[in-house]
Amino acid sequence: MPQILAITGGVGGAKLALGLAHLLGPEELTFAVNAGDDFNHLGLEISPDLDTLTYTLADLANPETGWGRSDESWQFMAALGEMGGETWFQLGDRDLALHVRRTELLRQGSSRTEAAATIGQALGVAYPLLPMSDDPVRTTVHTNQGALAFQHYFVRERCQPEVISFEFQGLAAARANPAILSCLDRVDGIVICPSNPYVSVDPMLHLPGMREALIAASAPVVAVSPIVGGAAIKGPTAKMMRELAIPNTASAVAAHYGDLLDGFILDEQDQELEGALGVPAVVTQTVMITLQDRVDLARNVLAFIETLT
Ligand code: FO1
């Protein structure tokens, strides 16, 4: 089986990540995870995209939301609310333990990568879960209501403010995770999962040297479109694109990734775009409702990579 690096962030990306994990073992599949959503909240270091992926691979994720855990209780949130604490960012009791544990590990000197491995292994995830960097990078959303930390924009303000631009604070000083760079010369394929390109993939691609390293890798880079038929499947992608005056199409996403791509995967609803992207494309079902949809899409991605090598 091929060695694959999957680049993911958010709930949409985690769906394909699970499909890939049903086809490939921990020796064949490594995850590079967005960390731009990370923030410190209530004194806790919180890494939402890493948590979403970890819970998803551990089969612990809340199936309704895609983030946080299933089988949750909310005593902490209730008690915090009674004391006037901030409750806009919902932290279940079991989920809270993960954030406390990560914060403790980081304070004891673990890197973000080491903390992710400790927590992943504790939850039974054997796949390498690599944060994009061990240095802090924070996505700031510049909006018509001022500059907002990503979670303040995404959760507290429910994506209502109008997006003007994104800024990845700390980027210039951040080093791409060496564990990601070192796997680039041994992978047979690189998959950009159907995450929001602007906030869940770009922070990683803009890390100094990362884009160049991905382009220089002999492995083909294939992205799955997060836009289907002019609408985002999950999250605010379509609204962001409108506000950024980017056409709300799969071809705009392919153009956004540009010369990084060796292949692009379109949903059947966007069949007519196939020959118009300037990059080899495959048309298949990319909307993932069931587990089988996730596995089928993953299989099609791997088959497409085979044809590009
Ligand atoms: N997303 C929400 O829309 N509301 C929440 O209350 C919320 C809490 C939360 C707690 C832990 C965690 O790991 C993720 C959480 N998310 C929540 C999702 C988070 O905002 C992610 O950044 C999104 O999934 C996009 O990546």
Side-chain angles (χ1 to χ4, degrees):
M1 290 298 261
Q3 292 281 333
I4 297 293
L5 175 71
I7 293 172
T8 183
V11 170
K15 289 183 176 179
L16 178 56
L18 182 62
L20 289 165
H22 274 256
L23 299 176
L24 299 169
E27 307 301 316
E28 301 151 322
L29 174 59
T30 296
F31 293 102
V33 192
N34 174 47
D37 290 11
D38 294 6
F39 76 136
N40 187 292
H41 182 57
L42 304 173
L44 299 169
E45 284 298 318
I46 297 180
S47 276
D49 284 356
L50 200 49
D51 299 345
T52 295
L53 178 63
T54 304
Y55 286 147
T56 299
L57 295 175
D59 196 19
L60 290 172
N62 177 326
E64 276 78 50
T65 56
W67 51 263
R69 281 183 67 149
S70 52
D71 73 341
E72 261 301 6
S73 56
W74 301 93
Q75 302 304 311
F76 164 70
M77 275 282 112
L80 184 68
E82 285 157 15
M83 295 178 220
E86 291 181 79
T87 56
W88 56 270
F89 195 73
Q90 290 291 297
L91 293 169
D93 298 330
R94 289 188 168 90
D95 186 35
L96 176 62
L98 185 153
H99 307 301
V100 168
R101 181 80 175 112
R102 173 178 286 117
T103 302
E104 175 206 10
L105 287 165
L106 294 175
R107 201 173 29 229
Q108 288 168 350
S110 288
S111 69
R112 284 169 167 74
T113 301
E114 289 161 343
T118 302
I119 291 166
Q121 279 145 27
L123 294 179
V125 177
Y127 292 90
L129 305 168
L130 303 178
M132 67 187 201
S133 174
D134 279 323
D135 302 311
V137 176
R138 296 279 184 274
T139 298
T140 297
V141 187
H142 292 288
T143 76
N144 60 341
Q145 293 169 32
L148 295 169
F150 181 78
Q151 297 301 336
H152 292 173
Y153 162 77
F154 189 83
V155 181
R156 197 187 63 197
E157 306 307 327
R158 295 187 318 287
C159 308
Q160 294 310 311
E162 266 192 48
V163 175
I164 296 167
S165 65
F166 299 114
E167 184 184 353
F168 306 132
Q169 312 228 332
L171 199 66
R175 282 154 301 166
N177 191 328
I180 295 173
L181 295 178
S182 67
C183 82
L184 290 182
D185 50 29
R186 67 168 165 76
V187 291
D188 305 304
I190 300 162
V191 180
I192 300 180
C193 295
S195 308
N196 181 318
Y198 311 99
V199 290
S200 301
V201 182
D202 269 0
M204 191 179 318
L205 298 184
H206 285 66
L207 281 165
M210 177 65 88
R211 186 184 179 88
E212 295 72 16
L214 289 167
I215 290 174
S218 57
V221 178
V222 168
V224 176
S225 179
I227 294 283
V228 171
I233 296 299
K234 188 86 187 167
T237 307
K239 177 179 180 286
M240 280 181 189
M241 291 173 87
R242 276 195 301 280
E243 290 161 0
L244 294 168
I246 298 171
N248 208 328
T249 61
S251 35
V253 174
H256 179 74
Y257 287 133
D259 59 359
L260 173 62
L261 293 185
D262 298 296
F264 196 67
I265 296 194
L266 290 163
D267 186 80
E268 289 146 347
Q269 293 179 45
D270 295 310
Q271 170 117 16
E272 76 283 355
L273 298 174
E274 186 179 354
L277 298 177
V279 67
V282 147
V283 176
T284 186
Q285 179 186 324
T286 63
V287 178
M288 295 172 274
I289 308 298
T290 65
L291 175 60
Q292 194 56 52
D293 292 339
R294 289 158 169 74
V295 177
D296 291 347
L297 177 56
R299 188 173 290 111
N300 287 327
V301 171
L302 297 179
F304 186 28
I305 285 171
E306 283 289 309
T307 69
L308 294 169
T309 34

